[in-house]
Amino acid sequence: MGVTDFIESVKRWTVGQLDRTDKEEEHEKQKKFPNLGEDIQLVVRTPEFENVMNSASPFLLASLGAWPGYWLYRGFDYHSHRAHVPLPVYIRQTFYQAKMLQFVIIMAGIIYMAKHQTGENIFPVDNKND
């Protein structure tokens, strides 16, 4: 038995210890963290969530349509500004203005939902004791 055999045996022992430690850590993480997918499914399947989505859907659809609509509007409007505004500056302004428009629409939806919410929680989830 030479030096290389000794080094190989130490290497095998170290790898075995590391594999065991990794498996133990994974097992502890699984115990520690809840399954968020199951919690999300519990929330999504409630009638309260359906009511909230039905009342918020106009704002979500307006937000999804605002971005391409505003870019189209600004694209067609560039011909009136191209004499005194370079294209990169115009695009940068359009980007920030379109983001601000989306933000305003989403905030309007949040404010609408906050004002029309009843006193109970929107998303009641029972805590699971496993």
Side-chain angles (χ1 to χ4, degrees):
M1 183 170 207
V3 174
T4 56
D5 292 334
F6 176 74
I7 292 173
E8 282 295 321
S9 65
V10 169
K11 179 179 154 186
R12 273 189 244 114
W13 180 83
T14 306
V15 169
Q17 293 297 322
L18 289 176
D19 285 343
R20 188 176 336 148
T21 306
D22 290 342
K23 289 177 185 176
E24 290 171 359
E25 287 177 4
E26 267 186 50
H27 186 65
E28 288 177 12
K29 283 182 183 178
Q30 288 176 353
K31 286 181 180 178
K32 200 180 296 182
F33 294 111
N35 187 346
L36 295 178
E38 290 177 2
D39 293 341
I40 290 172
Q41 284 181 355
L42 288 174
V43 171
V44 170
R45 291 181 181 168
T46 60
E48 292 88 2
F49 183 80
E50 184 179 351
N51 293 338
V52 168
M53 284 303 295
N54 286 337
S55 59
S57 63
F59 297 102
L60 294 173
L61 291 174
S63 173
L64 289 174
W67 182 261
Y70 194 74
W71 275 101
L72 283 172
Y73 164 73
R74 292 292 291 203
F76 288 127
D77 189 49
Y78 178 67
H79 72 280
S80 63
H81 299 282
R82 68 178 168 198
H84 59 282
V85 178
L87 184 60
V89 173
Y90 190 78
I91 289 173
R92 193 176 313 119
Q93 289 173 349
T94 302
F95 176 77
Y96 291 121
Q97 289 171 354
K99 278 294 186 186
M100 187 58 68
L101 180 65
Q102 258 189 332
F103 178 73
V104 167
I105 291 171
I106 291 173
M107 286 307 297
I110 290 172
I111 291 169
Y112 174 82
M113 291 303 300
K115 284 190 175 189
H116 291 87
Q117 178 189 356
T118 60
E120 60 194 42
N121 291 334
I122 293 178
F123 307 118
V125 177
D126 296 332
N127 289 334
K128 298 183 293 183
N129 294 328
D130 293 310

PDB file of all heavy atoms in Angstrom, residues 50-84:
ATOM      1  N   GLU A  50     -61.466  33.915  -6.510  1.00  0.00           N
ATOM      2  CA  GLU A  50     -62.162  34.080  -7.779  1.00  0.00           C
ATOM      3  C   GLU A  50     -62.861  35.437  -7.835  1.00  0.00           C
ATOM      4  O   GLU A  50     -62.821  36.122  -8.864  1.00  0.00           O
ATOM      5  CB  GLU A  50     -63.176  32.956  -7.972  1.00  0.00           C
ATOM      6  CG  GLU A  50     -63.882  33.003  -9.305  1.00  0.00           C
ATOM      7  CD  GLU A  50     -64.862  31.865  -9.489  1.00  0.00           C
ATOM      8  OE1 GLU A  50     -64.873  30.950  -8.650  1.00  0.00           O
ATOM      9  OE2 GLU A  50     -65.611  31.914 -10.468  1.00  0.00           O
ATOM     10  N   ASN A  51     -63.479  35.841  -6.736  1.00  0.00           N
ATOM     11  CA  ASN A  51     -64.136  37.151  -6.705  1.00  0.00           C
ATOM     12  C   ASN A  51     -63.130  38.283  -6.884  1.00  0.00           C
ATOM     13  O   ASN A  51     -63.388  39.254  -7.595  1.00  0.00           O
ATOM     14  CB  ASN A  51     -64.900  37.332  -5.388  1.00  0.00           C
ATOM     15  CG  ASN A  51     -66.069  36.388  -5.276  1.00  0.00           C
ATOM     16  OD1 ASN A  51     -66.573  35.897  -6.283  1.00  0.00           O
ATOM     17  ND2 ASN A  51     -66.485  36.107  -4.057  1.00  0.00           N
ATOM     18  N   VAL A  52     -61.995  38.160  -6.215  1.00  0.00           N
ATOM     19  CA  VAL A  52     -60.960  39.191  -6.329  1.00  0.00           C
ATOM     20  C   VAL A  52     -60.423  39.250  -7.750  1.00  0.00           C
ATOM     21  O   VAL A  52     -60.244  40.340  -8.313  1.00  0.00           O
ATOM     22  CB  VAL A  52     -59.825  38.917  -5.321  1.00  0.00           C
ATOM     23  CG1 VAL A  52     -58.621  39.782  -5.607  1.00  0.00           C
ATOM     24  CG2 VAL A  52     -60.312  39.141  -3.910  1.00  0.00           C
ATOM     25  N   MET A  53     -60.165  38.106  -8.370  1.00  0.00           N
ATOM     26  CA  MET A  53     -59.659  38.101  -9.739  1.00  0.00           C
ATOM     27  C   MET A  53     -60.681  38.670 -10.715  1.00  0.00           C
ATOM     28  O   MET A  53     -60.317  39.371 -11.657  1.00  0.00           O
ATOM     29  CB  MET A  53     -59.264  36.685 -10.163  1.00  0.00           C
ATOM     30  CG  MET A  53     -57.954  36.234  -9.568  1.00  0.00           C
ATOM     31  SD  MET A  53     -56.567  37.320  -9.948  1.00  0.00           S
ATOM     32  CE  MET A  53     -56.452  37.126 -11.703  1.00  0.00           C
ATOM     33  N   ASN A  54     -61.963  38.373 -10.491  1.00  0.00           N
ATOM     34  CA  ASN A  54     -62.986  38.920 -11.375  1.00  0.00           C
ATOM     35  C   ASN A  54     -63.068  40.435 -11.271  1.00  0.00           C
ATOM     36  O   ASN A  54     -63.274  41.130 -12.267  1.00  0.00           O
ATOM     37  CB  ASN A  54     -64.348  38.300 -11.070  1.00  0.00           C
ATOM     38  CG  ASN A  54     -64.455  36.884 -11.568  1.00  0.00           C
ATOM     39  OD1 ASN A  54     -63.737  36.479 -12.480  1.00  0.00           O
ATOM     40  ND2 ASN A  54     -65.332  36.105 -10.964  1.00  0.00           N
ATOM     41  N   SER A  55     -62.916  40.976 -10.071  1.00  0.00           N
ATOM     42  CA  SER A  55     -62.998  42.421  -9.931  1.00  0.00           C
ATOM     43  C   SER A  55     -61.697  43.114 -10.334  1.00  0.00           C
ATOM     44  O   SER A  55     -61.718  44.275 -10.736  1.00  0.00           O
ATOM     45  CB  SER A  55     -63.380  42.795  -8.501  1.00  0.00           C
ATOM     46  OG  SER A  55     -62.438  42.303  -7.598  1.00  0.00           O
ATOM     47  N   ALA A  56     -60.563  42.437 -10.276  1.00  0.00           N
ATOM     48  CA  ALA A  56     -59.287  43.054 -10.646  1.00  0.00           C
ATOM     49  C   ALA A  56     -58.906  42.814 -12.103  1.00  0.00           C
ATOM     50  O   ALA A  56     -57.994  43.465 -12.610  1.00  0.00           O
ATOM     51  CB  ALA A  56     -58.177  42.530  -9.757  1.00  0.00           C
ATOM     52  N   SER A  57     -59.604  41.925 -12.786  1.00  0.00           N
ATOM     53  CA  SER A  57     -59.210  41.581 -14.153  1.00  0.00           C
ATOM     54  C   SER A  57     -59.256  42.761 -15.123  1.00  0.00           C
ATOM     55  O   SER A  57     -58.400  42.835 -16.008  1.00  0.00           O
ATOM     56  CB  SER A  57     -60.049  40.419 -14.675  1.00  0.00           C
ATOM     57  OG  SER A  57     -61.396  40.773 -14.736  1.00  0.00           O
ATOM     58  N   PRO A  58     -60.184  43.714 -15.016  1.00  0.00           N
ATOM     59  CA  PRO A  58     -60.111  44.851 -15.949  1.00  0.00           C
ATOM     60  C   PRO A  58     -58.817  45.645 -15.815  1.00  0.00           C
ATOM     61  O   PRO A  58     -58.250  46.107 -16.809  1.00  0.00           O
ATOM     62  CB  PRO A  58     -61.314  45.720 -15.577  1.00  0.00           C
ATOM     63  CG  PRO A  58     -62.246  44.821 -14.859  1.00  0.00           C
ATOM     64  CD  PRO A  58     -61.404  43.792 -14.202  1.00  0.00           C
ATOM     65  N   PHE A  59     -58.327  45.786 -14.593  1.00  0.00           N
ATOM     66  CA  PHE A  59     -57.083  46.530 -14.385  1.00  0.00           C
ATOM     67  C   PHE A  59     -55.882  45.743 -14.903  1.00  0.00           C
ATOM     68  O   PHE A  59     -54.949  46.326 -15.464  1.00  0.00           O
ATOM     69  CB  PHE A  59     -56.905  46.860 -12.907  1.00  0.00           C
ATOM     70  CG  PHE A  59     -57.989  47.756 -12.379  1.00  0.00           C
ATOM     71  CD1 PHE A  59     -59.027  47.243 -11.634  1.00  0.00           C
ATOM     72  CD2 PHE A  59     -57.972  49.109 -12.660  1.00  0.00           C
ATOM     73  CE1 PHE A  59     -60.025  48.058 -11.158  1.00  0.00           C
ATOM     74  CE2 PHE A  59     -58.973  49.942 -12.186  1.00  0.00           C
ATOM     75  CZ  PHE A  59     -59.999  49.417 -11.435  1.00  0.00           C
ATOM     76  N   LEU A  60     -55.901  44.432 -14.724  1.00  0.00           N
ATOM     77  CA  LEU A  60     -54.804  43.609 -15.237  1.00  0.00           C
ATOM     78  C   LEU A  60     -54.766  43.630 -16.761  1.00  0.00           C
ATOM     79  O   LEU A  60     -53.708  43.756 -17.370  1.00  0.00           O
ATOM     80  CB  LEU A  60     -54.940  42.177 -14.729  1.00  0.00           C
ATOM     81  CG  LEU A  60     -54.779  41.981 -13.226  1.00  0.00           C
ATOM     82  CD1 LEU A  60     -55.113  40.546 -12.848  1.00  0.00           C
ATOM     83  CD2 LEU A  60     -53.383  42.338 -12.793  1.00  0.00           C
ATOM     84  N   LEU A  61     -55.941  43.528 -17.390  1.00  0.00           N
ATOM     85  CA  LEU A  61     -55.989  43.572 -18.846  1.00  0.00           C
ATOM     86  C   LEU A  61     -55.588  44.947 -19.375  1.00  0.00           C
ATOM     87  O   LEU A  61     -54.892  45.052 -20.395  1.00  0.00           O
ATOM     88  CB  LEU A  61     -57.385  43.193 -19.334  1.00  0.00           C
ATOM     89  CG  LEU A  61     -57.781  41.732 -19.112  1.00  0.00           C
ATOM     90  CD1 LEU A  61     -59.235  41.499 -19.501  1.00  0.00           C
ATOM     91  CD2 LEU A  61     -56.870  40.819 -19.895  1.00  0.00           C
ATOM     92  N   ALA A  62     -56.011  46.011 -18.695  1.00  0.00           N
ATOM     93  CA  ALA A  62     -55.610  47.357 -19.117  1.00  0.00           C
ATOM     94  C   ALA A  62     -54.106  47.522 -18.983  1.00  0.00           C
ATOM     95  O   ALA A  62     -53.458  48.146 -19.832  1.00  0.00           O
ATOM     96  CB  ALA A  62     -56.336  48.404 -18.282  1.00  0.00           C
ATOM     97  N   SER A  63     -53.536  46.966 -17.929  1.00  0.00           N
ATOM     98  CA  SER A  63     -52.092  47.058 -17.740  1.00  0.00           C
ATOM     99  C   SER A  63     -51.347  46.293 -18.828  1.00  0.00           C
ATOM    100  O   SER A  63     -50.320  46.749 -19.331  1.00  0.00           O
ATOM    101  CB  SER A  63     -51.715  46.510 -16.362  1.00  0.00           C
ATOM    102  OG  SER A  63     -50.329  46.449 -16.223  1.00  0.00           O
ATOM    103  N   LEU A  64     -51.854  45.121 -19.203  1.00  0.00           N
ATOM    104  CA  LEU A  64     -51.209  44.346 -20.261  1.00  0.00           C
ATOM    105  C   LEU A  64     -51.321  45.030 -21.614  1.00  0.00           C
ATOM    106  O   LEU A  64     -50.437  44.925 -22.458  1.00  0.00           O
ATOM    107  CB  LEU A  64     -51.821  42.946 -20.340  1.00  0.00           C
ATOM    108  CG  LEU A  64     -51.483  42.006 -19.195  1.00  0.00           C
ATOM    109  CD1 LEU A  64     -52.274  40.712 -19.329  1.00  0.00           C
ATOM    110  CD2 LEU A  64     -50.007  41.713 -19.160  1.00  0.00           C
ATOM    111  N   GLY A  65     -52.405  45.740 -21.850  1.00  0.00           N
ATOM    112  CA  GLY A  65     -52.580  46.436 -23.120  1.00  0.00           C
ATOM    113  C   GLY A  65     -51.919  47.798 -23.160  1.00  0.00           C
ATOM    114  O   GLY A  65     -51.677  48.345 -24.239  1.00  0.00           O
ATOM    115  N   ALA A  66     -51.622  48.371 -22.000  1.00  0.00           N
ATOM    116  CA  ALA A  66     -51.052  49.719 -21.951  1.00  0.00           C
ATOM    117  C   ALA A  66     -49.645  49.753 -22.531  1.00  0.00           C
ATOM    118  O   ALA A  66     -49.287  50.703 -23.230  1.00  0.00           O
ATOM    119  CB  ALA A  66     -51.041  50.234 -20.519  1.00  0.00           C
ATOM    120  N   TRP A  67     -48.852  48.763 -22.249  1.00  0.00           N
ATOM    121  CA  TRP A  67     -47.460  48.770 -22.685  1.00  0.00           C
ATOM    122  C   TRP A  67     -47.342  48.769 -24.211  1.00  0.00           C
ATOM    123  O   TRP A  67     -46.765  49.696 -24.782  1.00  0.00           O
ATOM    124  CB  TRP A  67     -46.740  47.572 -22.064  1.00  0.00           C
ATOM    125  CG  TRP A  67     -45.309  47.477 -22.394  1.00  0.00           C
ATOM    126  CD1 TRP A  67     -44.747  46.697 -23.342  1.00  0.00           C
ATOM    127  CD2 TRP A  67     -44.241  48.196 -21.784  1.00  0.00           C
ATOM    128  NE1 TRP A  67     -43.392  46.861 -23.366  1.00  0.00           N
ATOM    129  CE2 TRP A  67     -43.050  47.789 -22.420  1.00  0.00           C
ATOM    130  CE3 TRP A  67     -44.162  49.137 -20.784  1.00  0.00           C
ATOM    131  CZ2 TRP A  67     -41.817  48.290 -22.074  1.00  0.00           C
ATOM    132  CZ3 TRP A  67     -42.921  49.630 -20.434  1.00  0.00           C
ATOM    133  CH2 TRP A  67     -41.773  49.219 -21.078  1.00  0.00           C
ATOM    134  N   PRO A  68     -47.882  47.780 -24.923  1.00  0.00           N
ATOM    135  CA  PRO A  68     -47.744  47.824 -26.390  1.00  0.00           C
ATOM    136  C   PRO A  68     -48.536  48.969 -27.011  1.00  0.00           C
ATOM    137  O   PRO A  68     -48.108  49.564 -28.006  1.00  0.00           O
ATOM    138  CB  PRO A  68     -48.274  46.470 -26.859  1.00  0.00           C
ATOM    139  CG  PRO A  68     -49.042  45.927 -25.740  1.00  0.00           C
ATOM    140  CD  PRO A  68     -48.538  46.550 -24.480  1.00  0.00           C
ATOM    141  N   GLY A  69     -49.674  49.314 -26.432  1.00  0.00           N
ATOM    142  CA  GLY A  69     -50.463  50.425 -26.978  1.00  0.00           C
ATOM    143  C   GLY A  69     -49.729  51.746 -26.898  1.00  0.00           C
ATOM    144  O   GLY A  69     -49.742  52.541 -27.851  1.00  0.00           O
ATOM    145  N   TYR A  70     -49.080  51.981 -25.783  1.00  0.00           N
ATOM    146  CA  TYR A  70     -48.348  53.229 -25.628  1.00  0.00           C
ATOM    147  C   TYR A  70     -47.134  53.276 -26.551  1.00  0.00           C
ATOM    148  O   TYR A  70     -46.817  54.308 -27.129  1.00  0.00           O
ATOM    149  CB  TYR A  70     -47.927  53.425 -24.164  1.00  0.00           C
ATOM    150  CG  TYR A  70     -47.458  54.828 -23.880  1.00  0.00           C
ATOM    151  CD1 TYR A  70     -48.370  55.865 -23.791  1.00  0.00           C
ATOM    152  CD2 TYR A  70     -46.114  55.106 -23.716  1.00  0.00           C
ATOM    153  CE1 TYR A  70     -47.953  57.156 -23.535  1.00  0.00           C
ATOM    154  CE2 TYR A  70     -45.687  56.394 -23.458  1.00  0.00           C
ATOM    155  CZ  TYR A  70     -46.606  57.416 -23.367  1.00  0.00           C
ATOM    156  OH  TYR A  70     -46.190  58.685 -23.127  1.00  0.00           O
ATOM    157  N   TRP A  71     -46.462  52.124 -26.711  1.00  0.00           N
ATOM    158  CA  TRP A  71     -45.324  52.090 -27.627  1.00  0.00           C
ATOM    159  C   TRP A  71     -45.770  52.344 -29.057  1.00  0.00           C
ATOM    160  O   TRP A  71     -45.069  53.025 -29.824  1.00  0.00           O
ATOM    161  CB  TRP A  71     -44.596  50.754 -27.536  1.00  0.00           C
ATOM    162  CG  TRP A  71     -43.599  50.724 -26.438  1.00  0.00           C
ATOM    163  CD1 TRP A  71     -43.750  50.154 -25.215  1.00  0.00           C
ATOM    164  CD2 TRP A  71     -42.294  51.300 -26.449  1.00  0.00           C
ATOM    165  NE1 TRP A  71     -42.614  50.350 -24.458  1.00  0.00           N
ATOM    166  CE2 TRP A  71     -41.702  51.039 -25.186  1.00  0.00           C
ATOM    167  CE3 TRP A  71     -41.552  52.011 -27.385  1.00  0.00           C
ATOM    168  CZ2 TRP A  71     -40.421  51.461 -24.857  1.00  0.00           C
ATOM    169  CZ3 TRP A  71     -40.276  52.423 -27.057  1.00  0.00           C
ATOM    170  CH2 TRP A  71     -39.735  52.149 -25.801  1.00  0.00           C
ATOM    171  N   LEU A  72     -46.906  51.801 -29.460  1.00  0.00           N
ATOM    172  CA  LEU A  72     -47.415  52.071 -30.799  1.00  0.00           C
ATOM    173  C   LEU A  72     -47.743  53.552 -30.974  1.00  0.00           C
ATOM    174  O   LEU A  72     -47.400  54.165 -31.985  1.00  0.00           O
ATOM    175  CB  LEU A  72     -48.667  51.222 -31.077  1.00  0.00           C
ATOM    176  CG  LEU A  72     -48.414  49.764 -31.397  1.00  0.00           C
ATOM    177  CD1 LEU A  72     -49.734  49.002 -31.456  1.00  0.00           C
ATOM    178  CD2 LEU A  72     -47.680  49.638 -32.714  1.00  0.00           C
ATOM    179  N   TYR A  73     -48.398  54.121 -29.982  1.00  0.00           N
ATOM    180  CA  TYR A  73     -48.737  55.537 -30.045  1.00  0.00           C
ATOM    181  C   TYR A  73     -47.480  56.392 -30.166  1.00  0.00           C
ATOM    182  O   TYR A  73     -47.397  57.281 -31.015  1.00  0.00           O
ATOM    183  CB  TYR A  73     -49.542  55.935 -28.798  1.00  0.00           C
ATOM    184  CG  TYR A  73     -49.603  57.416 -28.580  1.00  0.00           C
ATOM    185  CD1 TYR A  73     -50.393  58.225 -29.385  1.00  0.00           C
ATOM    186  CD2 TYR A  73     -48.846  58.018 -27.568  1.00  0.00           C
ATOM    187  CE1 TYR A  73     -50.440  59.589 -29.196  1.00  0.00           C
ATOM    188  CE2 TYR A  73     -48.884  59.383 -27.370  1.00  0.00           C
ATOM    189  CZ  TYR A  73     -49.681  60.171 -28.183  1.00  0.00           C
ATOM    190  OH  TYR A  73     -49.718  61.515 -27.994  1.00  0.00           O
ATOM    191  N   ARG A  74     -46.488  56.113 -29.327  1.00  0.00           N
ATOM    192  CA  ARG A  74     -45.258  56.907 -29.364  1.00  0.00           C
ATOM    193  C   ARG A  74     -44.470  56.653 -30.652  1.00  0.00           C
ATOM    194  O   ARG A  74     -43.803  57.549 -31.166  1.00  0.00           O
ATOM    195  CB  ARG A  74     -44.392  56.594 -28.145  1.00  0.00           C
ATOM    196  CG  ARG A  74     -44.961  57.045 -26.824  1.00  0.00           C
ATOM    197  CD  ARG A  74     -44.991  58.526 -26.711  1.00  0.00           C
ATOM    198  NE  ARG A  74     -43.628  59.024 -26.622  1.00  0.00           N
ATOM    199  CZ  ARG A  74     -43.270  60.170 -26.096  1.00  0.00           C
ATOM    200  NH1 ARG A  74     -44.172  60.966 -25.607  1.00  0.00           N
ATOM    201  NH2 ARG A  74     -42.021  60.534 -26.081  1.00  0.00           N
ATOM    202  N   GLY A  75     -44.539  55.453 -31.196  1.00  0.00           N
ATOM    203  CA  GLY A  75     -43.860  55.156 -32.454  1.00  0.00           C
ATOM    204  C   GLY A  75     -44.438  55.938 -33.611  1.00  0.00           C
ATOM    205  O   GLY A  75     -43.709  56.482 -34.447  1.00  0.00           O
ATOM    206  N   PHE A  76     -45.761  56.018 -33.664  1.00  0.00           N
ATOM    207  CA  PHE A  76     -46.397  56.798 -34.721  1.00  0.00           C
ATOM    208  C   PHE A  76     -46.224  58.301 -34.505  1.00  0.00           C
ATOM    209  O   PHE A  76     -46.264  59.077 -35.448  1.00  0.00           O
ATOM    210  CB  PHE A  76     -47.886  56.462 -34.820  1.00  0.00           C
ATOM    211  CG  PHE A  76     -48.153  55.103 -35.395  1.00  0.00           C
ATOM    212  CD1 PHE A  76     -48.952  54.201 -34.740  1.00  0.00           C
ATOM    213  CD2 PHE A  76     -47.576  54.714 -36.600  1.00  0.00           C
ATOM    214  CE1 PHE A  76     -49.192  52.944 -35.260  1.00  0.00           C
ATOM    215  CE2 PHE A  76     -47.809  53.461 -37.130  1.00  0.00           C
ATOM    216  CZ  PHE A  76     -48.621  52.572 -36.462  1.00  0.00           C
ATOM    217  N   ASP A  77     -46.001  58.714 -33.268  1.00  0.00           N
ATOM    218  CA  ASP A  77     -45.878  60.130 -32.944  1.00  0.00           C
ATOM    219  C   ASP A  77     -44.443  60.640 -33.114  1.00  0.00           C
ATOM    220  O   ASP A  77     -44.223  61.851 -33.076  1.00  0.00           O
ATOM    221  CB  ASP A  77     -46.339  60.354 -31.497  1.00  0.00           C
ATOM    222  CG  ASP A  77     -46.459  61.811 -31.149  1.00  0.00           C
ATOM    223  OD1 ASP A  77     -47.082  62.557 -31.930  1.00  0.00           O
ATOM    224  OD2 ASP A  77     -45.933  62.200 -30.086  1.00  0.00           O
ATOM    225  N   TYR A  78     -43.490  59.742 -33.338  1.00  0.00           N
ATOM    226  CA  TYR A  78     -42.089  60.168 -33.409  1.00  0.00           C
ATOM    227  C   TYR A  78     -41.823  61.111 -34.579  1.00  0.00           C
ATOM    228  O   TYR A  78     -40.967  61.990 -34.502  1.00  0.00           O
ATOM    229  CB  TYR A  78     -41.160  58.961 -33.487  1.00  0.00           C
ATOM    230  CG  TYR A  78     -39.704  59.360 -33.620  1.00  0.00           C
ATOM    231  CD1 TYR A  78     -39.058  60.003 -32.573  1.00  0.00           C
ATOM    232  CD2 TYR A  78     -38.996  59.107 -34.791  1.00  0.00           C
ATOM    233  CE1 TYR A  78     -37.731  60.393 -32.679  1.00  0.00           C
ATOM    234  CE2 TYR A  78     -37.667  59.494 -34.900  1.00  0.00           C
ATOM    235  CZ  TYR A  78     -37.053  60.134 -33.846  1.00  0.00           C
ATOM    236  OH  TYR A  78     -35.745  60.516 -33.959  1.00  0.00           O
ATOM    237  N   HIS A  79     -42.572  60.967 -35.677  1.00  0.00           N
ATOM    238  CA  HIS A  79     -42.296  61.804 -36.854  1.00  0.00           C
ATOM    239  C   HIS A  79     -42.441  63.289 -36.549  1.00  0.00           C
ATOM    240  O   HIS A  79     -41.788  64.118 -37.165  1.00  0.00           O
ATOM    241  CB  HIS A  79     -43.206  61.409 -38.023  1.00  0.00           C
ATOM    242  CG  HIS A  79     -44.625  61.827 -37.831  1.00  0.00           C
ATOM    243  ND1 HIS A  79     -45.493  61.120 -37.043  1.00  0.00           N
ATOM    244  CD2 HIS A  79     -45.306  62.893 -38.322  1.00  0.00           C
ATOM    245  CE1 HIS A  79     -46.673  61.728 -37.053  1.00  0.00           C
ATOM    246  NE2 HIS A  79     -46.587  62.805 -37.815  1.00  0.00           N
ATOM    247  N   SER A  80     -43.258  63.648 -35.579  1.00  0.00           N
ATOM    248  CA  SER A  80     -43.407  65.063 -35.243  1.00  0.00           C
ATOM    249  C   SER A  80     -42.304  65.562 -34.314  1.00  0.00           C
ATOM    250  O   SER A  80     -42.142  66.762 -34.141  1.00  0.00           O
ATOM    251  CB  SER A  80     -44.776  65.314 -34.606  1.00  0.00           C
ATOM    252  OG  SER A  80     -44.872  64.600 -33.394  1.00  0.00           O
ATOM    253  N   HIS A  81     -41.522  64.670 -33.717  1.00  0.00           N
ATOM    254  CA  HIS A  81     -40.468  65.061 -32.787  1.00  0.00           C
ATOM    255  C   HIS A  81     -39.058  64.809 -33.335  1.00  0.00           C
ATOM    256  O   HIS A  81     -38.089  65.218 -32.713  1.00  0.00           O
ATOM    257  CB  HIS A  81     -40.599  64.286 -31.471  1.00  0.00           C
ATOM    258  CG  HIS A  81     -41.879  64.536 -30.753  1.00  0.00           C
ATOM    259  ND1 HIS A  81     -42.104  65.663 -30.022  1.00  0.00           N
ATOM    260  CD2 HIS A  81     -43.019  63.806 -30.678  1.00  0.00           C
ATOM    261  CE1 HIS A  81     -43.323  65.624 -29.501  1.00  0.00           C
ATOM    262  NE2 HIS A  81     -43.890  64.498 -29.890  1.00  0.00           N
ATOM    263  N   ARG A  82     -38.945  64.117 -34.450  1.00  0.00           N
ATOM    264  CA  ARG A  82     -37.623  63.685 -34.888  1.00  0.00           C
ATOM    265  C   ARG A  82     -36.705  64.827 -35.304  1.00  0.00           C
ATOM    266  O   ARG A  82     -35.498  64.650 -35.367  1.00  0.00           O
ATOM    267  CB  ARG A  82     -37.738  62.664 -36.006  1.00  0.00           C
ATOM    268  CG  ARG A  82     -38.260  63.201 -37.300  1.00  0.00           C
ATOM    269  CD  ARG A  82     -38.288  62.117 -38.321  1.00  0.00           C
ATOM    270  NE  ARG A  82     -39.069  62.583 -39.464  1.00  0.00           N
ATOM    271  CZ  ARG A  82     -39.572  61.805 -40.357  1.00  0.00           C
ATOM    272  NH1 ARG A  82     -39.380  60.509 -40.263  1.00  0.00           N
ATOM    273  NH2 ARG A  82     -40.255  62.286 -41.356  1.00  0.00           N
ATOM    274  N   ALA A  83     -37.233  66.006 -35.554  1.00  0.00           N
ATOM    275  CA  ALA A  83     -36.384  67.126 -35.961  1.00  0.00           C
ATOM    276  C   ALA A  83     -35.535  67.642 -34.797  1.00  0.00           C
ATOM    277  O   ALA A  83     -34.413  68.102 -34.999  1.00  0.00           O
ATOM    278  CB  ALA A  83     -37.238  68.258 -36.516  1.00  0.00           C
ATOM    279  N   HIS A  84     -36.053  67.554 -33.574  1.00  0.00           N
ATOM    280  CA  HIS A  84     -35.336  68.127 -32.443  1.00  0.00           C
ATOM    281  C   HIS A  84     -35.036  67.139 -31.313  1.00  0.00           C
ATOM    282  O   HIS A  84     -34.403  67.505 -30.339  1.00  0.00           O
ATOM    283  CB  HIS A  84     -36.110  69.334 -31.890  1.00  0.00           C
ATOM    284  CG  HIS A  84     -37.493  69.002 -31.443  1.00  0.00           C
ATOM    285  ND1 HIS A  84     -38.527  68.830 -32.332  1.00  0.00           N
ATOM    286  CD2 HIS A  84     -38.010  68.809 -30.211  1.00  0.00           C
ATOM    287  CE1 HIS A  84     -39.630  68.546 -31.670  1.00  0.00           C
ATOM    288  NE2 HIS A  84     -39.343  68.521 -30.391  1.00  0.00           N
TER     289      HIS A  84
END
